[in-house]
Amino acid sequence: MDIVSITSFLGVAALLTVMPGPDNLFVLAQSISNGRYAGISTSLGLCTGLLGHIAAATLGLSAVIYQSALAFAIVKYAGAAYLLYLAYKTFTAKDSALAVENKEVVEYKVLYKKGVIMNLLNPKVSLFFLALLPQFVNHSTGHATQQMLVYGAVFLVQALIIFTLISLFAGKVGEFLRKSSALSKRLNLVQGSIFTLIGLKIAFSEK
C-alpha cells in the first residue's frame, strides 16, 4: 500500500458517502427532527455497523450472502421491515412538535442502537464493500486481508466525518424549522416519510 492508493481510495469513498443513500438520509432525518447530537449519535451507530460489514467483506462472509438468494432476502426484508416500523412509530407519535431541549425526548443511546441495527440489516452495504475493497488491494505485495482492513478503516473514519458534518448542517436547518410551530409539527411527517422511502428502497433493491 502507498499514499497514492490510499488517497485514491479516500476520494472514491468520500464521493460515494456523500451520494444520497439510506445512511446519510437517516442521519439527515434524525438531525433535522431531533437536533445535531441526535444525528451524531445515529452516525456513531451507523459507523459501528460498518465494522460488521468490513469484517464480513474481509472474511468472505459477504460473498456467502451474495451467493445465497435466501440469505440476501432475509437480511434485506428484515432491514426494510425495521425501517417501516420506525416510520410507523414516527407517524403515530403523540407529540409531533419535537422538543430538542428535553433530553428525555431524545434518547441518544436508542438512536445509536437504531443506527447499528439499520446498517447491519442492509445487505447492500456488505456487497458494496465486497465489490469496492478488493479493487484497491495490491496483490503483488501480499497481505490482502490486512490491506482490506486498512481501507475499511479509512472508509469508516471518512464516513464518520461526513456524517458528523451532515448532522451539524441538518441540525441548524432543524433549529430554523422549529421556530415555526406549523413547520415543527410537520417534522415527524417528514421523518416518517424518509424512513418509509429508505425501507422501500431496501425492500426493492437487487444484488
Side-chain angles (χ1 to χ4, degrees), residues 57-78:
T58 302
L59 298 175
L61 297 179
S62 298
V64 175
I65 295 177
Y66 180 77
Q67 294 172 1
S68 172
L70 178 60
F72 182 84
I74 289 175
V75 177
K76 179 179 73 170
Y77 289 122

Side-chain angles (χ1 to χ4, degrees), residues 99-118:
V100 178
E101 295 79 8
N102 187 348
K103 293 185 179 180
E104 294 180 0
V105 175
V106 183
E107 298 182 12
Y108 298 120
K109 290 183 179 179
V110 173
L111 293 176
Y112 171 81
K113 292 178 181 178
K114 285 182 179 180
V116 174
I117 295 172
M118 177 195 159

Side-chain angles (χ1 to χ4, degrees), residues 44 46 66 69 99 131:
L44 290 171
L46 290 169
Y66 180 77

Side-chain angles (χ1 to χ4, degrees), residues 1 5 8-10 12 132-138 147 151:
M1 298 179 67
S5 298
S8 299
F9 176 82
L10 179 60
V12 172
L132 179 66
L133 297 183
Q135 296 185 40
F136 290 87
V137 172
N138 186 345
Q147 290 184 59
Y151 284 127

